């Protein structure tokens, strides 16, 4: 088919889990070696002198020795992002310029560590975006203490404080890098890892973002916890598996005619791997249960993807897909809407129009890696899983009420993106998306949606 649109903070750690980090676009097994500048900055390790060539002036602040087993590391990132969106909120296009500035210091003394990152996030041009997560004048992005130890066959890392968290392929829990203010959590975490396996447990709360200065306090009634385990089943990346449990307690939510406190649990399995011939695969199976006020929660989700790296060109082609449940019967005392909690909002494209709830989607795509240039083209076809439930938009709000349309086809989103790594510090990105509004989406927007975004990032 041709493309037609595109109770408090205290929680007892009861287990252990493995976290695997991934970049924005790929729902793939992660590389074994972290990049020079990691997407989550506390994952960087500058103790290896081979990583500090001395030819780069910023290397001087990446490792500042203080004595035996003690050193400091400094870094930062500055991103300028422009977005132009036409077709969502009336006849005038929304034009907004975002500025994100992050600075961090990382202090190590023997097995102990303290990491602090502060940020200033500004939004100019669109009053509706001049609030979190669009803007936050100045606040603590991350601040935690860490302790490390090693036994004969295992390594232990305990971490307490505000920190970013990215699980698996970032499909359900991510850093939300596409938005101006990244997602962070106030957590206690314990990680145990060994040869071919990781296990981690965490528990804590979600900070309440405010626009002002140093006012992002922990939201004690918004709790989040989980267990996540990763094991390499077959060697050489042929087959790996994640098994996880995530829990969320929110003080007030609304699903159709159901409103109240939500306690939701999610069980999931993720299998992924790649063959020597360049074939890659991934699959998720998820189940959610719990309560919203007096209503029972029972939801499900399936997701996956297949890719092939071509041997005769730096080209990767594939298809991704999701099936996420929606609510079928209003007033039946049951909530069947799948909720993703903290998904990678740029998973479909840089325009986060559709939220992964009540959804069927299929996403053919192609990627060219012509290092230092990367190109990607794809088209996502969206359908409602249940026509009796809404179409949702980030962070889980209703975009098209269930009563507005009985159409299953929502629309299709065509996206073209460019990434150019100018130097090891400087990155340029641009993306264009056109949403061909289907019957369900047209009842809300009245027309197609166009999006253009460009952002430059300087990291050190």
């Amino acid at each position: 088919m041709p493309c037609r649109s595109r109770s408090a903070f205290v929680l007892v750690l009861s287990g252990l889990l493995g976290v695997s980090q991934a970049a924005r676009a790929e729902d793939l097994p992660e590389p074994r070696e972290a990049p020079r500048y990691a997407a989550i900055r506390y994952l960087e390790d500058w103790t290896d002198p081979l990583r500090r060539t001395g030819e780069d002036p910023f290397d001087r602040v990446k490792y500042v020795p203080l004595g035996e087993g003690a050193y400091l590391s400094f870094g930062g990132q500055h991103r300028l992002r422009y977005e132009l969106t036409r077709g969502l909120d009336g006849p005038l296009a929304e034009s907004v310029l975002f500025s994100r500035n992050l600075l961090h210091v990382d202090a190590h003394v023997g097995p102990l560590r303290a990491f602090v990152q502060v940020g200033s996030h500004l939004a100019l041009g669109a009053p509706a975006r001049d609030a979190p997560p669009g803007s936050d004048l100045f606040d603590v992005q991350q601040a935690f203490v860490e302790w490390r130890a090693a036994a004969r066959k295992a390594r232990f890392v305990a971490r307490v404080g505000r920190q970013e968290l990215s699980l698996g392929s970032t499909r359900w829990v991510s850093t939300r890098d596409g938005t101006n203010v990244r997602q962070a959590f106030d957590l206690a975490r314990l990680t145990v890892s060994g040869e071919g396996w990781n296990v981690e447990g965490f528990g804590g709360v979600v900070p309440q973002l405010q626009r002002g200065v140093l006012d992002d306090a922990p939201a004690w009634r918004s709790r989040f916890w989980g267990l996540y385990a990763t094991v390499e089943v077959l060697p050489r990346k042929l087959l790996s598996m994640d098994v996880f449990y995530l829990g969320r307690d929110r003080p007030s939510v609304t699903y159709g005619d159901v409103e109240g406190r939500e306690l939701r649990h999610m069980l999931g399995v993720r299998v992924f791997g790649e063959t020597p011939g360049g074939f890659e695969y991934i699959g998720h199976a998820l189940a959610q249960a719990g309560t919203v006020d007096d209503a029972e929660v029972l939801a499900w989700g399936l997701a996956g993807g297949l890719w092939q790296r071509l041997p005769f060109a730096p080209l990767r082609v594939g298809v991704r897909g999701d099936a996420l449940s929606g609510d079928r019967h209003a007033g039946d005392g049951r909530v069947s809407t799948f909720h993703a909690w903290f998904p990678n909002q740029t998973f479909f494209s840089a325009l986060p129009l559709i939220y992964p709830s009540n959804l069927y989607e299929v996403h053919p795509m192609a990627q060219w890696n012509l290092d230092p240039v990367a190109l990607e083209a794809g088209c996502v076809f969206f359908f409602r899983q249940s026509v009796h439930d809404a179409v949702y938009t980030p962070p889980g709000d209703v975009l098209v009420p269930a009563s507005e349309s009985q159409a299953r086809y929502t629309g299709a989103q065509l996206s073209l993106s460019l990434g150019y790594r100018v130097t090891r510090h400087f990155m340029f990105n641009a993306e264009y998306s056109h949403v061909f509004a289907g019957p369900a989406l047209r009842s809300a927007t009245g027309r197609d949606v166009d999006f253009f975004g460009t952002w430059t990032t300087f990291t050190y």
Side-chain angles (χ1 to χ4, degrees):
M1 181 175 68
C3 178
R4 293 290 304 165
S5 148
R6 239 185 72 128
S7 301
F9 177 78
V10 180
L11 294 170
V12 178
L13 292 177
S14 57
L16 306 169
L17 107 120
V19 176
S20 34
Q21 308 295 340
R24 166 247 163 197
E26 275 78 301
D27 196 358
L28 291 173
E30 293 74 27
R32 297 204 178 264
E33 294 186 2
R36 190 175 184 87
Y37 295 111
I40 298 180
R41 300 303 301 274
Y42 64 74
L43 297 178
E44 298 172 3
D45 181 2
W46 293 93
T47 57
D48 186 352
L50 296 179
R51 295 175 62 89
R52 309 185 305 274
T53 64
E55 300 174 358
D56 191 316
F58 287 102
D59 284 354
R60 301 172 186 174
V61 299
K62 305 313 295 182
Y63 184 81
V64 181
L66 300 178
E68 184 68 28
Y71 68 92
L72 295 175
S73 182
F74 300 89
Q77 185 180 82
H78 307 280
R79 189 182 76 172
L80 196 64
R81 180 184 179 106
Y82 174 74
E83 295 182 2
L84 178 68
T85 309
R86 183 184 299 273
L88 280 181
D89 300 312
L92 298 179
E94 179 186 83
S95 176
V96 58
L97 180 66
F98 295 107
S99 172
R100 181 170 75 193
N101 302 279
L102 299 170
L103 297 172
H104 72 259
V105 58
D106 189 5
H108 294 252
V109 180
L112 299 178
R113 175 194 196 185
F115 183 92
V116 177
Q117 184 182 54
V118 296
S120 175
H121 311 79
L122 307 175
L124 305 173
R129 309 292 290 277
D130 193 19
S135 72
D136 189 346
L137 296 183
F138 182 79
D139 227 299
V140 176
Q141 177 67 23
Q142 300 187 82
F144 62 81
V145 293
E146 178 184 288
W147 171 80
R148 290 176 176 262
R152 187 169 53 184
K153 293 186 178 181
R155 298 178 296 275
F156 302 84
V157 179
R159 188 178 296 134
V160 178
R162 181 162 298 179
Q163 56 201 273
E164 294 177 345
L165 176 66
S166 180
L167 299 181
S169 59
T170 76
R171 191 67 179 97
W172 319 115
V173 179
S174 75
T175 59
R176 196 181 57 190
D177 186 65
T179 58
N180 206 29
V181 183
R182 289 163 62 106
Q183 180 69 61
F185 304 90
D186 295 322
L187 298 176
R189 296 168 62 186
L190 176 62
T191 305
V192 182
S193 59
E195 185 65 33
W197 59 271
N198 296 273
V199 186
E200 181 175 16
F202 64 89
V205 302
V206 183
Q208 178 62 50
L209 299 182
Q210 304 290 337
R211 185 182 178 276
V213 176
L214 299 176
D215 56 358
D216 292 352
W220 302 109
R221 298 181 63 197
S222 181
R223 294 184 280 268
F224 181 50
W225 62 94
L227 305 170
Y228 204 104
T230 300
V231 61
E232 185 180 80
V233 180
L234 296 177
R236 297 184 297 276
K237 300 183 181 181
L238 289 175
L239 174 62
S240 297
M241 177 180 291
D242 296 347
V243 180
F244 57 91
Y245 158 74
L246 302 174
R248 181 87 198 271
D249 186 356
R250 296 191 290 170
S252 180
V253 299
T254 301
Y255 297 100
D257 60 342
V258 178
E259 182 176 357
R261 174 176 175 258
E262 179 185 59
L263 178 62
R264 187 180 290 239
H265 310 275
M266 180 162 71
L267 294 173
V269 176
R270 170 184 175 237
V271 294
F272 58 97
E274 60 181 283
T275 68
F279 177 73
E280 306 165 24
Y281 65 91
I282 187 168
H284 301 251
L286 310 119
Q288 294 184 336
T291 58
V292 177
D293 197 20
D294 294 329
E296 178 186 11
V297 172
L298 190 60
W300 55 269
L302 297 171
L306 302 171
W307 297 266
Q308 178 64 52
R309 297 184 185 274
L310 303 184
F312 53 84
L315 179 65
R316 178 171 170 264
V317 296
V319 60
R320 294 192 297 227
D322 288 275
L324 307 172
S325 66
D327 203 54
R328 291 191 171 275
H329 304 287
D332 64 353
R334 175 176 292 178
V335 175
S336 300
T337 305
F338 182 91
H339 186 66
W341 292 338
F342 309 104
N344 181 345
Q345 294 185 7
T346 59
F347 187 80
F348 301 127
S349 83
L351 170 63
L353 181 62
I354 304 297
Y355 191 78
S357 291
N358 184 35
L359 181 70
Y360 290 130
E361 66 90 6
V362 61
H363 185 181
M365 58 189 297
Q367 298 171 336
W368 293 266
N369 187 356
L370 308 172
D371 191 35
V373 177
L375 303 171
E376 181 177 313
C379 189
V380 194
F381 299 89
F382 294 105
F383 304 84
R384 284 196 286 177
Q385 196 278 325
S386 171
V387 297
H388 304 291
D389 200 352
V391 176
Y392 294 89
T393 192
D397 298 333
V398 171
L399 178 62
V400 181
S403 58
E404 289 292 319
S405 173
Q406 289 297 301
R408 187 174 299 277
Y409 178 53
T410 302
Q413 183 169 338
L414 172 67
S415 296
L416 304 172
S417 66
L418 163 71
Y420 174 40
R421 184 169 299 280
V422 184
T423 69
R424 57 183 288 237
H425 298 289
F426 185 72
M427 185 75 184
F428 171 80
N429 295 85
E431 181 164 319
Y432 169 74
S433 289
H434 181 85
V435 179
F436 300 86
L441 187 59
R442 193 168 292 275
S443 65
T445 65
R447 54 178 174 167
D448 292 355
V449 177
D450 285 286
F451 168 87
F452 175 74
T454 179
W455 57 102
T456 56
T457 308
F458 186 77
T459 306
Y460 55 94

